Amino acid sequence: MQLIDGKSTAQAIKEEIAAEVSTLVGQGKKRPHLAAVLVGHDGGSETYVAYKIKDCEQVGFKSSLVRYEDDVTEEELLDRIAALNADSDLDGFIVQLPLPAHISEQKIIEAIDPAKDVDGFHPVNVGKTVIGLPSFVSATPYGIVELIKRYSIETSGKNCVIVGRSNIVGRPLSVLMSQKAINATVTVAHSRTKNLKEVCASADILIAALGFPEFIKEDMVKEGAVVIDVGTTRVESSETKSGFRLKGDVDFEKVAPKCSFITPVPGGVGPMTRVSLLLNTLKAAKNR
Ligand code: GUN
């Protein structure tokens, strides 16, 4: 069994990005600039956005944080998005989700200029991804594909089962895994899938993205399978200073001995998701 080290892979990619930024700036070009819009004070969102800003600093990007309280109106937010779209210094921006219930997330996503949509959530980017055109791919699927490539994992003709059909992970990942560069035969399993255990056990590559801690047990995994764990559920823990720890969707201790490759949680997909936002921002800067 080989552990897929997302942390060190992401670090290596960050170093590649930092070197490219130095070259760009050395050529007199503008430093890539990412902005994050954060509404309210949700603990998880605060943490994720703080990481995104820190990641920008580490690779030499400029970053901006735009904050609103929970009572911001949809109109105010749409006006700000229009201003960010028009800001010529800005290469890309994200609006951290979830948003308060009185704001339509879909309306907000569709207001973002697809050329600055480094989250890859805009329907134009999703649609381009589906038909294989250059696009911004959302960070988690992008990071998983990059990990698979960097570990030279054989994908052509392999059975890939993805458990979970979310718009930001399972669905776009199913598209990428079936494309010609990867050539896997893809099944998307979900809450209504019959015989889920057998479907999962047929996978050469099993990707768990359902958000249910330790759902994937050893009898759902084929001997020698590649297992990618997208789950990051925060569970209470007396063993950490924060009082929480992250649990994946895979029962790691029992499943790992059966695998050819497996991602840990934390330190697997998570760091790759973070670095993918930087890759998209660099691409947005170079596209301009
Ligand atoms: N909330 C959870 N994940 C994400 C993400 O990747 N982007 C944004 N904008 N919000 C999120």
Side-chain angles (χ1 to χ4, degrees):
M1 181 275 291
Q2 190 179 346
L3 206 60
I4 299 179
D5 186 346
K7 197 172 167 192
S8 67
T9 308
Q11 184 56 37
I13 296 173
K14 272 189 186 171
E15 286 163 20
E16 290 165 18
I17 297 172
E20 218 174 314
V21 172
S22 293
T23 307
L24 287 174
V25 172
Q27 290 167 343
K29 301 206 174 103
K30 196 182 73 60
R31 222 169 250 292
H33 181 186
L34 173 74
V37 179
L38 175 59
V39 178
H41 299 274
D42 171 78
S45 294
E46 292 264 8
T47 306
Y48 292 135
V49 169
Y51 280 145
K52 288 170 187 178
I53 301 286
K54 190 171 136 211
D55 288 340
C56 284
E57 279 168 21
Q58 285 178 351
V59 297
F61 288 0
K62 183 174 167 187
S63 64
S64 305
L65 175 58
V66 181
R67 292 201 74 130
Y68 287 98
E69 291 302 321
D70 274 319
D71 60 358
V72 64
T73 65
E74 190 175 270
E75 202 183 349
E76 277 176 278
L77 210 47
L78 288 169
D79 284 347
R80 188 59 177 257
I81 288 170
L84 295 172
N85 285 340
D87 181 345
S88 62
D89 187 64
L90 195 60
D91 299 296
F93 66 99
I94 63 129
V95 179
Q96 187 67 25
L97 305 178
L99 292 171
H102 66 278
I103 297 172
S104 158
E105 287 185 354
Q106 198 55 33
K107 223 176 180 176
I108 297 299
I109 288 169
E110 290 184 28
I112 298 171
D113 177 351
K116 289 191 174 182
D117 169 38
V118 285
D119 256 335
F121 290 172
H122 193 288
V124 165
N125 280 314
V126 178
K128 284 184 171 178
T129 301
V130 170
I131 58 172
L133 292 175
S135 60
F136 293 115
V137 176
S138 58
T140 302
Y142 188 0
I144 290 170
V145 167
E146 200 58 33
L147 263 188
I148 287 173
K149 283 187 191 156
R150 288 187 182 236
Y151 273 81
S152 304
I153 290 170
E154 181 62 55
T155 55
S156 184
K158 300 291 181 187
N159 285 334
C160 173
V161 174
I162 300 170
V163 187
R165 54 180 161 184
S166 71
N167 285 345
I168 53 176
V169 184
R171 202 174 296 285
L173 190 55
S174 71
V175 167
L176 296 176
M177 292 301 290
S178 70
Q179 274 168 349
K180 282 203 168 154
I182 297 191
N183 285 315
T185 303
V186 180
T187 302
V188 180
H190 47 76
S191 54
R192 300 291 173 92
T193 297
K194 293 206 172 100
N195 306 323
L196 182 63
K197 187 160 98 177
E198 287 74 22
V199 172
C200 290
S202 74
D204 301 309
I205 302 169
L206 178 61
I207 304 178
L210 66 158
F212 191 106
E214 298 186 340
F215 183 86
I216 302 292
K217 305 291 185 195
E218 62 188 307
D219 61 354
M220 301 169 84
V221 178
K222 179 157 85 177
E223 200 68 47
V226 175
V227 173
I228 308 285
D229 189 349
V230 184
T232 49
T233 306
R234 263 160 55 114
V235 295
E236 282 184 19
S237 168
S238 54
E239 291 158 28
T240 62
K241 228 171 23 178
S242 66
F244 291 99
R245 77 187 190 92
L246 288 184
K247 264 213 168 136
D249 289 348
V250 176
D251 185 352
F252 184 89
E253 295 302 324
K254 299 266 174 54
V255 168
K258 295 185 82 174
C259 299
S260 55
F261 291 92
I262 186 167
T263 60
V265 175
V269 173
M272 293 300 292
T273 296
R274 281 171 60 184
V275 89
S276 297
L277 179 64
L278 299 175
L279 286 169
N280 275 343
T281 305
L282 181 63
K283 183 166 156 184
K286 292 201 304 198
N287 281 350
R288 272 152 42 94

